[in-house]
Structure formats: C-alpha cells, structure tokens
Amino acid sequence: ERICTHLQPPTSLQQVSDIISTVEFNHTGKLLATGDKGGRVVIFQQEIENKNQPQFRSEYNVYSTFQSHEPEFDYLKSLEIEEKINKIRWLPQKNAAQFLLSTNDKTIKLWKISERDKRPEGYNLKEEDGCYKDPNTITSLRVPVLIPMDLMVEASPRRVFANAHTYHINSISVNSDNETYLSADDLRINLWHLEITDRSFNIVDIKPANMEELTEVITAAEFHPHQCNTFVYSSSKGTIRLCDMRASALCDKHSKLFEEPEDPSNRSFFSEIISSISDVKFSHNGRYMMTRDYLSVKIWDLNMENRPVETYQVHEYLRSKLCSLYENDCIFDKFECCWNGNDSVVMTGSYNNFFRMFDRGQRRDVTLEASRENSKPMQVLKPRKVCAGGKRKKDEISVDSLDFNKKILHTAWHPQDNIIAVATTNNLYIFQDKVN
Amino acid sequence: MSEEVEGTRTLDEQQEMEDKVISPEKAEEAKLKARYPNLAPKHGGSDFLRKRLQKGQKYFDSGDYNMAKAKMKNKQLPSAPTEKTEITGDHIPTPQDLPQRKTSIVASKLAG
C-alpha cells in the first residue's frame, strides 16, 4: 500500500463559519462530521462521480447542519460552559438512521440523523395546510397516503447525558459492544449505557485526596476496537494505561502501563510539557496504539510496555523554539493523529497548515500543506520541506517563517479509501489519492 | 525569485548552533529562565494543573449582575455574544443572554 503522496487538490473545500474543533468519518466513510467552537455540527455526505470507474472522484457536500450544544452558565459553581464541540463519535449504523455522540466540556448528546423523503397526505380532519376542518363538513372517510417529497434531513437529540463530569470532557469512545461508551475528563472516566441517561459508572478516578498532590491529568481515552473489556487512557506525563474492566469495577489499577524511559540528564523545564500525550488511537486491527505528543507520534505494540515500537518526528525543528512556543502557548496545542484503513500509514497535523504522513512499511514520510494558494487544479499536492537551519534551499521554508496561528489539530482518514479530511482553522479540506 | 538563501552563518554562529543541537531543550530552558527569573523550577506542578482544571471559572457578583440587568432594560435584547471576554460588569451573563434550548432542528435539504 503506497503512501498517498499523489494527493490531488481538494475535491471539496468547505468553509465552516466557526473554528473547527473536531472531524470524524462514520464507519463507512460516506458521512463526515465536523464540530465547531460555536457548538454546531455540520455533516457532509460523499457524492461519487463516475462510480463505476476506477478513477472516481468523490465530493463531500453538506448533508445536515444543526446546533448541538449551547453555551451555559453553571451558577452554582460560577462556571462558564463552552458550547465548543470537543469530540464527535459515530455509532455503527443499525437501521436507516445515523447516530452520533457529540460532546462539549460537560454534556454528551446522542443525535439521530434521519432522512425523510415521504410525507402523508389526505388526512380526514386536517387540511393540507394543517388547519383543522370543521367536523360537520366531513362526510366520508379516507386513508391518508404517503407521497414522495424532496429529501429532508432531520437531526434530533435522542439522549442527553449530563451532570456526570466535574472536570472538562476530553474524550468519548463507543464500545465495540455497541451498547456502552466511555467519557473521560481531566481526572475521571465514566461508563455509560447508550439507553440510560440518569446513571453512569465511574471506572477511573485519579483525583488525589489532596489536590495539592495533583501531578497528572487524563488527556485522552479510547476503547479497544474489538475487546469490549479493554480501554486505554493517556496522561499529561506521557504515560498510557491499559485497563481491563473485568479485573475490577474501578479500574484505578492499570493492567498495563506504557511509558518510554527518559534519560534524566536530558530533562529540562519543557520535558514534561512536551511529553504530554494529546491523542491516543488504537489501530484498526487492535494490535497497536498510536500516541501523539508535542513533537512526535509513537506507535506502541500492546504487548510491549517499556517502549514504543516506532517513533516518528513530526517537527523536531521546534525543539530549539520551545521558549517562544511556551510564551505564546503553542506548546500546549493538542494535535490529534489518525490511522489509515489498513494501519499502514499514520497522519497528524503541524503548523503553517502543514500535515504529515508516515508510511510505516515503506519508512517514508511526507509533509503537505492545506491551503487554497497551494492547491492548483489538475496537479498533485507538492511535498513541503522545512529548513531547520543553515542554508535554506529554494522552495524550503525556514522555521522562523512558519505561521504558528495556522495549525492543523484535527485530521481524519476514510475507513477504507485514501480520502482524508484535514481541518485548518475554519476550512475543511478533503483530499483524495489520485489513482493512476 | 532569487536563489540567494537566508541563514548562511559565520563560524561562531555555526559553533553556537552545534552547541544548541547537542541540547536544544536546555538552551531553550536557559533562554526562558533568563526572561523570567522567577519562574518555578519545575513545570507541571499542581499549580499549573489546578489552573487548567479551573478553566471557565467566572465569579458571580450580584452587584455586577444587577447593574448588567439594569443596563439591559434600557437596551434591546442583545443576541448572544459571539466572543467571550474577560468578566466585567457588562459581561456577566444574564438569563436573557443565554439562549433557550432549541427544539430539534430540521436541517437543509440534500443538495440536489
């Protein structure tokens, strides 16, 4: 499986009105959901031209838009609750409707997205415009019929899972059992049943008895793709804990602890900050997991806890810029990462609207840019190169001219095909691999 | 575009760069300490984490609240502010600021 360096310019370029905060394909890849800072969810649907030809081009067009979360103010705790959508996770499709979970800092909601292409006509008691008829004028009985209508896509909230998190939710993950899901905040992880909103089980609690002793927080959590009893959570200290829910009700004690040993002589003020894991994702085959810290992507074999099996440098040239990045808070940016469908390539974002792909088998990597100016029609995306120092070659970009406000935090890969979604601040780029 | 490159360095700068390469993090740490001599020696302590956990904390002041309400009476109902600013008397949210929870939204038709 070759790395897709032959990405064509965006088949779709969608401008979202607010800052994109999450991007997620559904299980077939036909739908792509984005959440934004304003609490809105926009779902795009794949439309394929020339379906029967190998060189198909797919476009993603707006399918549904809805307001998922609103800003709230918790008067009791004097806490302002942002409406920003932190994560969206799709449920596997069970019937004609689609379901997704969306969450802000405090509340998770289950949304049903359904299509309506028929409407009833011929009511006995109502006129076509909805007004009630005078019953005295009705002399006969008829059966209303369903007639075709223009397709309408409706989104309705089916469940609201609230009041279970004191701290800010950073992750949600649907279990492979399709009945439960977990939600994780800075200090706790809860297990929910999709049908039950008034109860939730706490399965991890790392809050110390004395908050002065707090040394680390939970940064991400995910269920294993096949083993419904297994989940992992990552921490701000660069560790990942794998937990088995069969072992005990409260999984404070991990089954496995993944941590790469650090050379104490290399330790600096920044060491802990840049080791904080911003994302953790299991591979599709369930044998590996990938973590993203500030400067690198690491692949871990679930059977080996003491070090990752692969490490990829995303933007090592930033190591000599840590002081400035600390001052402008960029060092706290939370980049996500994702696997391609067959786990051969991983992708993550960087600054200057760059994103990186690492081909694990071929040991090749590429830096690409998501920007309108650099996307010419009929031309594949040109790889980029950052010059860390010394002589800068033509077409290279020097570290000092990188725009740190243009960050790609959220990327997603189609579950089967070489189609990727890359979110810049408020543009969503969808690239497709060119088939020769 | 000219092919002249920026960043050609003198020998001294080259040596400095090599030193940095040996421990770029430590060099950056030294830079930070030079700029902020009072910075805590170890980052990641509980102070930082606790601040992080308290994100979004705004303190309710009944005086500010009532003043804001009084101001609202003289104006038309404002639409929900798009930007959250630092808390002042003007920005304490009042019940009018917080939009009512909407019922389910029927979204746009599928692009034909």
Side-chain angles (χ1 to χ4, degrees), chain A residues 120-176:
Chain A
E121 198 180 67
Y123 284 109
N124 288 289
L125 300 174
K126 278 199 282 191
E127 304 282 3
E128 290 310 317
D129 62 3
C131 296
Y132 281 96
K133 287 184 186 171
D134 177 359
N136 298 317
T137 63
I138 301 167
T139 54
S140 62
L141 197 62
R142 60 181 175 171
V143 178
V145 291
L146 289 172
I147 57 162
M149 62 180 249
D150 285 342
L151 185 67
M152 208 153 72
V153 182
E154 294 178 314
S156 59
R158 304 304 288 178
R159 306 267 187 277
V160 177
F161 303 92
N163 302 319
H165 285 278
T166 307
Y167 303 100
H168 298 106
I169 297 173
N170 52 56
S171 312
I172 47 174
S173 178
V174 184
N175 200 344
S176 54

Short mmCIF file of all heavy atoms in Angstrom, two decimals, chain A residues 120-176:
data_model
loop_
_atom_site.label_atom_id
_atom_site.label_comp_id
_atom_site.label_asym_id
_atom_site.label_seq_id
_atom_site.Cartn_x
_atom_site.Cartn_y
_atom_site.Cartn_z
N PRO A 120 -47.15 12.28 4.55
CA PRO A 120 -48.54 11.80 4.43
C PRO A 120 -49.44 12.89 3.88
O PRO A 120 -49.24 14.07 4.13
CB PRO A 120 -48.92 11.46 5.88
CG PRO A 120 -48.01 12.26 6.73
CD PRO A 120 -46.78 12.59 5.94
N GLU A 121 -50.38 12.46 3.10
CA GLU A 121 -51.34 13.41 2.54
C GLU A 121 -52.72 12.79 2.57
O GLU A 121 -52.85 11.57 2.44
CB GLU A 121 -50.97 13.71 1.08
CG GLU A 121 -51.60 14.98 0.54
CD GLU A 121 -51.20 15.22 -0.90
OE1 GLU A 121 -51.61 14.43 -1.77
OE2 GLU A 121 -50.47 16.20 -1.15
N GLY A 122 -53.73 13.63 2.73
CA GLY A 122 -55.10 13.11 2.73
C GLY A 122 -55.62 12.80 4.10
O GLY A 122 -56.29 11.80 4.31
N TYR A 123 -55.29 13.65 5.06
CA TYR A 123 -55.87 13.47 6.39
C TYR A 123 -57.36 13.73 6.35
O TYR A 123 -57.86 14.49 5.52
CB TYR A 123 -55.22 14.43 7.38
CG TYR A 123 -53.84 14.03 7.82
CD1 TYR A 123 -52.73 14.75 7.40
CD2 TYR A 123 -53.65 12.92 8.65
CE1 TYR A 123 -51.46 14.39 7.81
CE2 TYR A 123 -52.39 12.56 9.05
CZ TYR A 123 -51.29 13.29 8.63
OH TYR A 123 -50.04 12.93 9.04
N ASN A 124 -58.06 13.12 7.27
CA ASN A 124 -59.50 13.33 7.33
C ASN A 124 -59.85 14.62 8.06
O ASN A 124 -60.80 15.32 7.70
CB ASN A 124 -60.18 12.15 8.04
CG ASN A 124 -60.16 10.92 7.16
OD1 ASN A 124 -60.87 10.86 6.16
ND2 ASN A 124 -59.32 9.95 7.50
N LEU A 125 -59.12 14.92 9.12
CA LEU A 125 -59.52 16.03 9.97
C LEU A 125 -58.76 17.33 9.70
O LEU A 125 -59.10 18.36 10.25
CB LEU A 125 -59.33 15.65 11.45
CG LEU A 125 -60.15 14.43 11.90
CD1 LEU A 125 -59.78 14.05 13.33
CD2 LEU A 125 -61.64 14.73 11.82
N LYS A 126 -57.69 17.23 8.92
CA LYS A 126 -56.86 18.42 8.68
C LYS A 126 -56.81 18.75 7.21
O LYS A 126 -56.81 17.87 6.35
CB LYS A 126 -55.41 18.16 9.15
CG LYS A 126 -55.20 18.35 10.63
CD LYS A 126 -53.74 18.54 10.94
CE LYS A 126 -52.98 17.22 10.91
NZ LYS A 126 -51.63 17.39 11.46
N GLU A 127 -56.74 20.07 6.93
CA GLU A 127 -56.48 20.49 5.56
C GLU A 127 -55.00 20.28 5.25
O GLU A 127 -54.21 20.00 6.13
CB GLU A 127 -56.78 22.00 5.41
CG GLU A 127 -58.17 22.42 5.79
CD GLU A 127 -59.20 22.09 4.72
OE1 GLU A 127 -58.84 21.48 3.69
OE2 GLU A 127 -60.37 22.44 4.92
N GLU A 128 -54.65 20.48 3.99
CA GLU A 128 -53.24 20.30 3.60
C GLU A 128 -52.33 21.29 4.31
O GLU A 128 -51.17 21.01 4.55
CB GLU A 128 -53.07 20.45 2.08
CG GLU A 128 -53.69 19.29 1.29
CD GLU A 128 -53.25 17.93 1.81
OE1 GLU A 128 -52.06 17.75 2.12
OE2 GLU A 128 -54.10 17.04 1.91
N ASP A 129 -52.87 22.46 4.64
CA ASP A 129 -52.01 23.46 5.29
C ASP A 129 -51.97 23.27 6.80
O ASP A 129 -51.36 24.06 7.50
CB ASP A 129 -52.48 24.88 4.94
CG ASP A 129 -53.90 25.16 5.43
OD1 ASP A 129 -54.50 24.27 6.09
OD2 ASP A 129 -54.42 26.25 5.15
N GLY A 130 -52.64 22.27 7.30
CA GLY A 130 -52.58 21.97 8.74
C GLY A 130 -53.76 22.47 9.53
O GLY A 130 -53.95 22.08 10.68
N CYS A 131 -54.56 23.32 8.96
CA CYS A 131 -55.73 23.83 9.70
C CYS A 131 -56.76 22.72 9.87
O CYS A 131 -56.95 21.89 8.98
CB CYS A 131 -56.39 24.97 8.92
SG CYS A 131 -55.30 26.39 8.78
N TYR A 132 -57.39 22.75 11.00
CA TYR A 132 -58.40 21.72 11.25
C TYR A 132 -59.69 22.02 10.48
O TYR A 132 -60.13 23.16 10.40
CB TYR A 132 -58.68 21.60 12.75
CG TYR A 132 -57.60 20.81 13.44
CD1 TYR A 132 -56.52 21.43 14.06
CD2 TYR A 132 -57.61 19.41 13.41
CE1 TYR A 132 -55.52 20.71 14.66
CE2 TYR A 132 -56.62 18.67 14.00
CZ TYR A 132 -55.57 19.33 14.62
OH TYR A 132 -54.57 18.59 15.20
N LYS A 133 -60.25 20.95 9.95
CA LYS A 133 -61.51 21.10 9.21
C LYS A 133 -62.67 21.18 10.19
O LYS A 133 -62.59 20.68 11.31
CB LYS A 133 -61.74 19.88 8.32
CG LYS A 133 -60.86 19.80 7.10
CD LYS A 133 -61.28 18.57 6.25
CE LYS A 133 -60.33 18.39 5.09
NZ LYS A 133 -60.55 17.13 4.40
N ASP A 134 -63.73 21.76 9.73
CA ASP A 134 -64.98 21.75 10.50
C ASP A 134 -65.54 20.32 10.43
O ASP A 134 -65.85 19.83 9.35
CB ASP A 134 -65.96 22.76 9.90
CG ASP A 134 -67.31 22.76 10.60
OD1 ASP A 134 -67.51 21.96 11.54
OD2 ASP A 134 -68.16 23.57 10.20
N PRO A 135 -65.65 19.65 11.57
CA PRO A 135 -66.06 18.24 11.54
C PRO A 135 -67.41 18.02 10.85
O PRO A 135 -67.68 16.97 10.31
CB PRO A 135 -66.15 17.84 13.01
CG PRO A 135 -65.45 18.90 13.77
CD PRO A 135 -65.41 20.12 12.94
N ASN A 136 -68.23 19.03 10.87
CA ASN A 136 -69.55 18.86 10.26
C ASN A 136 -69.48 18.73 8.76
O ASN A 136 -70.42 18.25 8.13
CB ASN A 136 -70.45 20.06 10.62
CG ASN A 136 -70.67 20.14 12.12
OD1 ASN A 136 -70.90 19.12 12.76
ND2 ASN A 136 -70.58 21.35 12.66
N THR A 137 -68.36 19.16 8.17
CA THR A 137 -68.27 19.10 6.70
C THR A 137 -67.73 17.76 6.22
O THR A 137 -67.68 17.50 5.02
CB THR A 137 -67.34 20.20 6.18
OG1 THR A 137 -66.03 19.97 6.70
CG2 THR A 137 -67.83 21.57 6.61
N ILE A 138 -67.31 16.94 7.14
CA ILE A 138 -66.72 15.65 6.73
C ILE A 138 -67.82 14.63 6.56
O ILE A 138 -68.57 14.35 7.48
CB ILE A 138 -65.68 15.17 7.78
CG1 ILE A 138 -64.57 16.22 7.93
CG2 ILE A 138 -65.10 13.84 7.36
CD1 ILE A 138 -63.70 16.03 9.11
N THR A 139 -67.89 14.09 5.37
CA THR A 139 -68.95 13.14 5.08
C THR A 139 -68.43 11.75 4.77
O THR A 139 -69.17 10.79 4.77
CB THR A 139 -69.78 13.62 3.89
OG1 THR A 139 -68.88 13.87 2.81
CG2 THR A 139 -70.56 14.89 4.24
N SER A 140 -67.13 11.66 4.44
CA SER A 140 -66.62 10.32 4.13
C SER A 140 -65.26 10.13 4.80
O SER A 140 -64.64 11.07 5.26
CB SER A 140 -66.49 10.15 2.63
OG SER A 140 -65.57 11.10 2.12
N LEU A 141 -64.82 8.87 4.82
CA LEU A 141 -63.57 8.51 5.46
C LEU A 141 -62.59 8.06 4.39
O LEU A 141 -62.96 7.33 3.47
CB LEU A 141 -63.82 7.36 6.44
CG LEU A 141 -62.77 7.09 7.50
CD1 LEU A 141 -62.61 8.28 8.42
CD2 LEU A 141 -63.16 5.84 8.29
N ARG A 142 -61.36 8.53 4.51
CA ARG A 142 -60.36 8.06 3.55
C ARG A 142 -59.07 7.72 4.31
O ARG A 142 -58.88 8.14 5.45
CB ARG A 142 -60.08 9.14 2.50
CG ARG A 142 -59.58 10.43 3.11
CD ARG A 142 -59.33 11.50 2.09
NE ARG A 142 -58.96 12.73 2.76
CZ ARG A 142 -58.52 13.81 2.13
NH1 ARG A 142 -58.41 13.80 0.82
NH2 ARG A 142 -58.21 14.90 2.81
N VAL A 143 -58.23 6.95 3.65
CA VAL A 143 -56.96 6.56 4.26
C VAL A 143 -55.88 7.49 3.72
O VAL A 143 -55.70 7.59 2.51
CB VAL A 143 -56.60 5.10 3.90
CG1 VAL A 143 -55.25 4.72 4.49
CG2 VAL A 143 -57.70 4.16 4.40
N PRO A 144 -55.16 8.18 4.59
CA PRO A 144 -54.07 9.04 4.09
C PRO A 144 -53.02 8.20 3.38
O PRO A 144 -52.80 7.04 3.74
CB PRO A 144 -53.49 9.66 5.36
CG PRO A 144 -54.51 9.47 6.41
CD PRO A 144 -55.27 8.24 6.05
N VAL A 145 -52.40 8.78 2.36
CA VAL A 145 -51.34 8.08 1.63
C VAL A 145 -50.01 8.80 1.81
O VAL A 145 -49.97 9.99 2.08
CB VAL A 145 -51.67 7.95 0.13
CG1 VAL A 145 -52.84 7.01 -0.07
CG2 VAL A 145 -51.97 9.31 -0.47
N LEU A 146 -48.94 8.05 1.61
CA LEU A 146 -47.60 8.64 1.66
C LEU A 146 -47.18 9.01 0.25
O LEU A 146 -47.19 8.17 -0.64
CB LEU A 146 -46.59 7.64 2.25
CG LEU A 146 -46.74 7.36 3.74
CD1 LEU A 146 -45.84 6.22 4.16
CD2 LEU A 146 -46.43 8.60 4.56
N ILE A 147 -46.84 10.27 0.09
CA ILE A 147 -46.40 10.69 -1.25
C ILE A 147 -44.95 11.15 -1.18
O ILE A 147 -44.49 11.61 -0.13
CB ILE A 147 -47.29 11.82 -1.80
CG1 ILE A 147 -47.29 13.03 -0.84
CG2 ILE A 147 -48.71 11.32 -2.05
CD1 ILE A 147 -47.77 14.29 -1.51
N PRO A 148 -44.24 11.02 -2.28
CA PRO A 148 -42.84 11.44 -2.25
C PRO A 148 -42.72 12.95 -2.05
O PRO A 148 -43.60 13.71 -2.43
CB PRO A 148 -42.29 11.06 -3.63
CG PRO A 148 -43.36 10.31 -4.32
CD PRO A 148 -44.65 10.53 -3.61
N MET A 149 -41.60 13.32 -1.42
CA MET A 149 -41.31 14.76 -1.24
C MET A 149 -39.80 14.95 -1.41
O MET A 149 -39.05 13.98 -1.44
CB MET A 149 -41.76 15.23 0.13
CG MET A 149 -41.05 14.53 1.27
SD MET A 149 -41.58 15.10 2.87
CE MET A 149 -40.12 15.94 3.42
N ASP A 150 -39.38 16.18 -1.47
CA ASP A 150 -37.94 16.47 -1.54
C ASP A 150 -37.27 15.96 -0.28
O ASP A 150 -37.80 16.11 0.82
CB ASP A 150 -37.71 17.98 -1.62
CG ASP A 150 -38.04 18.51 -3.01
OD1 ASP A 150 -38.10 17.68 -3.94
OD2 ASP A 150 -38.22 19.72 -3.14
N LEU A 151 -36.12 15.38 -0.44
CA LEU A 151 -35.41 14.81 0.70
C LEU A 151 -35.13 15.86 1.77
O LEU A 151 -34.63 16.94 1.48
CB LEU A 151 -34.09 14.19 0.22
CG LEU A 151 -33.31 13.46 1.31
CD1 LEU A 151 -34.05 12.22 1.76
CD2 LEU A 151 -31.93 13.07 0.79
N MET A 152 -35.48 15.50 2.99
CA MET A 152 -35.20 16.38 4.10
C MET A 152 -34.38 15.60 5.11
O MET A 152 -34.67 14.44 5.39
CB MET A 152 -36.52 16.81 4.74
CG MET A 152 -36.43 18.14 5.40
SD MET A 152 -37.99 18.99 5.49
CE MET A 152 -38.84 18.04 6.71
N VAL A 153 -33.35 16.22 5.65
CA VAL A 153 -32.50 15.55 6.64
C VAL A 153 -32.76 16.20 7.99
O VAL A 153 -32.63 17.41 8.13
CB VAL A 153 -31.02 15.67 6.27
CG1 VAL A 153 -30.17 14.92 7.30
CG2 VAL A 153 -30.76 15.13 4.89
N GLU A 154 -33.17 15.40 8.94
CA GLU A 154 -33.51 15.93 10.26
C GLU A 154 -32.53 15.43 11.30
O GLU A 154 -32.14 14.26 11.29
CB GLU A 154 -34.89 15.44 10.68
CG GLU A 154 -36.03 15.96 9.84
CD GLU A 154 -37.36 15.37 10.30
OE1 GLU A 154 -37.42 14.15 10.52
OE2 GLU A 154 -38.30 16.15 10.43
N ALA A 155 -32.17 16.32 12.21
CA ALA A 155 -31.33 15.91 13.33
C ALA A 155 -32.13 16.13 14.60
O ALA A 155 -32.68 17.20 14.81
CB ALA A 155 -30.07 16.74 13.36
N SER A 156 -32.23 15.11 15.42
CA SER A 156 -32.94 15.29 16.69
C SER A 156 -32.15 14.69 17.83
O SER A 156 -31.56 13.61 17.70
CB SER A 156 -34.34 14.69 16.61
OG SER A 156 -34.27 13.33 16.33
N PRO A 157 -32.12 15.37 18.96
CA PRO A 157 -31.40 14.84 20.11
C PRO A 157 -32.22 13.73 20.76
O PRO A 157 -33.37 13.93 21.10
CB PRO A 157 -31.29 16.05 21.05
CG PRO A 157 -32.39 16.98 20.67
CD PRO A 157 -32.79 16.66 19.25
N ARG A 158 -31.61 12.55 20.88
CA ARG A 158 -32.33 11.42 21.44
C ARG A 158 -32.00 11.19 22.90
O ARG A 158 -32.79 10.62 23.63
CB ARG A 158 -32.01 10.16 20.65
CG ARG A 158 -32.29 10.27 19.17
CD ARG A 158 -33.68 10.65 18.83
NE ARG A 158 -34.62 9.57 19.08
CZ ARG A 158 -35.93 9.68 18.88
NH1 ARG A 158 -36.44 10.82 18.51
NH2 ARG A 158 -36.70 8.65 19.10
N ARG A 159 -30.76 11.53 23.30
CA ARG A 159 -30.37 11.34 24.69
C ARG A 159 -29.46 12.50 25.07
O ARG A 159 -28.68 12.97 24.25
CB ARG A 159 -29.55 10.06 24.90
CG ARG A 159 -30.15 8.78 24.40
CD ARG A 159 -30.95 8.05 25.47
NE ARG A 159 -31.37 6.76 24.97
CZ ARG A 159 -32.45 6.55 24.23
NH1 ARG A 159 -33.23 7.57 23.90
NH2 ARG A 159 -32.75 5.33 23.80
N VAL A 160 -29.60 12.90 26.31
CA VAL A 160 -28.68 13.90 26.84
C VAL A 160 -28.04 13.32 28.09
O VAL A 160 -28.73 12.98 29.05
CB VAL A 160 -29.41 15.23 27.19
CG1 VAL A 160 -28.43 16.21 27.81
CG2 VAL A 160 -30.04 15.82 25.94
N PHE A 161 -26.73 13.16 28.06
CA PHE A 161 -26.00 12.55 29.19
C PHE A 161 -25.30 13.68 29.93
O PHE A 161 -24.25 14.16 29.51
CB PHE A 161 -24.98 11.54 28.67
CG PHE A 161 -25.57 10.46 27.80
CD1 PHE A 161 -25.64 10.61 26.43
CD2 PHE A 161 -26.05 9.28 28.36
CE1 PHE A 161 -26.19 9.61 25.62
CE2 PHE A 161 -26.60 8.27 27.56
CZ PHE A 161 -26.66 8.44 26.19
N ALA A 162 -25.91 14.13 31.00
CA ALA A 162 -25.43 15.34 31.67
C ALA A 162 -25.06 15.08 33.12
O ALA A 162 -25.39 14.05 33.69
CB ALA A 162 -26.50 16.42 31.59
N ASN A 163 -24.37 16.04 33.68
CA ASN A 163 -24.11 16.09 35.12
C ASN A 163 -23.26 14.94 35.65
O ASN A 163 -23.41 14.54 36.79
CB ASN A 163 -25.42 16.12 35.92
CG ASN A 163 -26.28 17.30 35.53
OD1 ASN A 163 -25.78 18.41 35.33
ND2 ASN A 163 -27.57 17.07 35.38
N ALA A 164 -22.39 14.42 34.82
CA ALA A 164 -21.54 13.34 35.32
C ALA A 164 -20.08 13.72 35.38
O ALA A 164 -19.24 12.91 35.78
CB ALA A 164 -21.71 12.09 34.45
N HIS A 165 -19.76 14.94 34.95
CA HIS A 165 -18.35 15.33 34.89
C HIS A 165 -18.12 16.65 35.59
O HIS A 165 -18.68 17.67 35.22
CB HIS A 165 -17.89 15.42 33.44
CG HIS A 165 -17.70 14.07 32.82
ND1 HIS A 165 -16.54 13.34 33.01
CD2 HIS A 165 -18.50 13.33 32.04
CE1 HIS A 165 -16.64 12.19 32.36
NE2 HIS A 165 -17.82 12.16 31.76
N THR A 166 -17.28 16.58 36.60
CA THR A 166 -16.89 17.79 37.31
C THR A 166 -15.87 18.57 36.50
O THR A 166 -15.83 19.79 36.53
CB THR A 166 -16.27 17.43 38.68
OG1 THR A 166 -17.17 16.59 39.38
CG2 THR A 166 -15.97 18.66 39.50
N TYR A 167 -15.02 17.85 35.80
CA TYR A 167 -13.95 18.48 35.03
C TYR A 167 -14.30 18.43 33.55
O TYR A 167 -15.39 18.01 33.18
CB TYR A 167 -12.61 17.81 35.38
CG TYR A 167 -12.35 17.90 36.87
CD1 TYR A 167 -12.60 16.82 37.71
CD2 TYR A 167 -11.92 19.10 37.45
CE1 TYR A 167 -12.42 16.93 39.08
CE2 TYR A 167 -11.74 19.21 38.81
CZ TYR A 167 -11.99 18.13 39.63
OH TYR A 167 -11.82 18.24 40.97
N HIS A 168 -13.36 18.86 32.71
CA HIS A 168 -13.71 19.05 31.30
C HIS A 168 -13.51 17.78 30.48
O HIS A 168 -12.42 17.21 30.46
CB HIS A 168 -12.89 20.19 30.71
CG HIS A 168 -13.17 21.48 31.40
ND1 HIS A 168 -12.30 22.06 32.28
CD2 HIS A 168 -14.27 22.29 31.37
CE1 HIS A 168 -12.84 23.18 32.76
NE2 HIS A 168 -14.02 23.34 32.22
N ILE A 169 -14.57 17.39 29.77
CA ILE A 169 -14.54 16.17 28.97
C ILE A 169 -13.58 16.36 27.81
O ILE A 169 -13.67 17.35 27.06
CB ILE A 169 -15.94 15.84 28.43
CG1 ILE A 169 -16.90 15.56 29.59
CG2 ILE A 169 -15.88 14.64 27.48
CD1 ILE A 169 -18.34 15.38 29.16
N ASN A 170 -12.63 15.42 27.67
CA ASN A 170 -11.72 15.50 26.54
C ASN A 170 -11.95 14.39 25.53
O ASN A 170 -11.53 14.49 24.37
CB ASN A 170 -10.25 15.47 27.00
CG ASN A 170 -9.96 14.30 27.94
OD1 ASN A 170 -10.19 13.13 27.61
ND2 ASN A 170 -9.47 14.60 29.13
N SER A 171 -12.60 13.29 25.93
CA SER A 171 -12.77 12.16 25.01
C SER A 171 -14.09 11.45 25.23
O SER A 171 -14.61 11.41 26.35
CB SER A 171 -11.69 11.10 25.24
OG SER A 171 -10.42 11.67 25.30
N ILE A 172 -14.59 10.89 24.14
CA ILE A 172 -15.68 9.92 24.23
C ILE A 172 -15.29 8.77 23.31
O ILE A 172 -14.60 8.96 22.32
CB ILE A 172 -17.06 10.49 23.81
CG1 ILE A 172 -16.96 11.27 22.50
CG2 ILE A 172 -17.66 11.34 24.90
CD1 ILE A 172 -18.31 11.74 21.97
N SER A 173 -15.73 7.57 23.65
CA SER A 173 -15.38 6.43 22.82
C SER A 173 -16.48 5.38 22.92
O SER A 173 -16.86 4.98 24.02
CB SER A 173 -14.03 5.85 23.27
OG SER A 173 -13.69 4.71 22.51
N VAL A 174 -16.98 4.95 21.76
CA VAL A 174 -18.05 3.96 21.74
C VAL A 174 -17.44 2.58 21.85
O VAL A 174 -16.45 2.26 21.19
CB VAL A 174 -18.86 4.07 20.42
CG1 VAL A 174 -20.03 3.10 20.45
CG2 VAL A 174 -19.36 5.49 20.22
N ASN A 175 -18.01 1.75 22.69
CA ASN A 175 -17.51 0.39 22.88
C ASN A 175 -17.88 -0.49 21.70
O ASN A 175 -18.88 -0.24 21.03
CB ASN A 175 -18.10 -0.17 24.18
CG ASN A 175 -17.31 -1.34 24.73
OD1 ASN A 175 -16.50 -1.93 24.02
ND2 ASN A 175 -17.53 -1.67 25.98
N SER A 176 -17.09 -1.54 21.49
CA SER A 176 -17.40 -2.48 20.40
C SER A 176 -18.67 -3.27 20.68
O SER A 176 -19.21 -3.91 19.79
CB SER A 176 -16.22 -3.44 20.17
OG SER A 176 -15.88 -4.06 21.39
#
